[in-house]
Amino acid sequence: MDYTEGTDFKGVDYTVSNIPKGEYDNCSFTGCNFSASDLSGVVFTDCEFTDCNFSNTKVRGTGFKEVFFKDCKMTGLNFSVADPFLIAMHFTDCQLSLTSFYQLKLKKARFTNCNLQEADLTETDFTEASFTNCDFKHAIFENTILEKADLRSAVNYSIDPQQNRIKKAKFSLPAVTGLLDKFNIVIE
């Protein structure tokens, strides 16, 4: 397996040919297109992705260890099949609608200005994660761990406190009313 360290990749179209299998350590990817490509078995450690397209990319067994995504389009990505060992990801200004984080442990993950509409967050551990200015319209929270998570500036979430762990999570008005959606009550 190849090992690549400290390399900057700019404007590479991986839809033509997949990224070579191997380990990428401390690399940056800018303006690259991974759309519908296969990253299975590739390991990224301390890497940054800026303005990249990952829509419908295959990530079965892909390692994401301290990886930062900025301005990336990641619609429909299924992170639940990625390698869970030492997984740590952070997102800024990313399009994550229809993305699945099912059963991942993403403690202390940071999401800033992200669209998580219709994302599957079922059974995900977001302990101490922060969601700054994130939109959760129609996102699925089921048996999700949000203990000590910061959702003060998040919007459009519907979280059932009886089906999710929210102890010491931070919320703010008026979005906190999303904790009452299951009761189908009128709040004026």
Side-chain angles (χ1 to χ4, degrees):
M1 210 152 97
D2 291 339
Y3 179 77
T4 305
E5 183 178 11
T7 304
D8 295 332
F9 299 90
K10 292 187 175 151
V12 182
D13 187 354
Y14 292 109
T15 63
V16 177
S17 62
N18 287 325
I19 190 170
K21 300 279 186 228
E23 293 184 36
Y24 295 83
D25 191 355
N26 200 26
C27 294
S28 69
F29 297 83
T30 306
C32 296
N33 188 2
F34 296 94
S35 180
S37 63
D38 190 355
L39 299 178
S40 299
V42 176
V43 177
F44 299 102
T45 305
D46 293 317
C47 290
E48 292 185 20
F49 295 89
T50 305
D51 195 28
C52 293
N53 184 354
F54 286 93
S55 294
N56 300 309
T57 300
K58 294 173 187 69
V59 293
R60 181 169 297 283
T62 305
F64 294 101
K65 303 171 184 181
E66 283 304 320
V67 175
F68 294 83
F69 298 96
K70 183 171 180 8
D71 295 313
C72 291
K73 183 178 180 189
M74 308 173 99
T75 305
L77 202 58
N78 186 4
F79 280 117
S80 70
V81 297
D83 182 358
F85 183 68
L86 297 176
I87 193 166
M89 299 181 289
H90 308 284
F91 304 88
T92 301
D93 298 313
C94 290
Q95 173 57 259
L96 293 159
S97 58
L98 301 167
T99 297
S100 176
F101 293 99
Y102 177 69
Q103 290 188 329
L104 290 179
K105 291 189 184 337
L106 293 173
K107 294 180 178 184
K108 298 184 180 180
R110 289 186 312 276
F111 294 79
T112 306
N113 301 323
C114 292
N115 179 341
L116 288 142
Q117 293 182 5
E118 299 183 61
D120 183 359
L121 312 171
T122 304
E123 297 180 24
T124 307
D125 185 348
F126 286 120
T127 301
E128 295 185 64
S130 68
F131 300 96
T132 306
N133 298 321
C134 292
D135 186 350
F136 287 104
K137 187 172 188 178
H138 301 298
I140 302 166
F141 290 92
E142 190 172 303
N143 296 317
T144 306
I145 301 171
L146 293 163
E147 293 180 352
K148 299 181 183 175
D150 187 347
L151 291 103
R152 288 178 291 182
S153 60
V155 296
N156 297 324
Y157 53 80
S158 180
I159 301 170
D160 181 347
Q162 295 175 316
Q163 284 192 333
N164 298 281
R165 292 173 39 193
I166 61 171
K167 187 176 182 179
K168 298 198 177 190
K170 297 174 186 168
F171 300 94
S172 65
L173 289 170
V176 73
T177 58
L179 298 177
L180 302 172
D181 285 348
K182 86 171 227 164
F183 299 110
N184 198 21
I185 59 176
V186 178
I187 301 170
E188 294 180 356

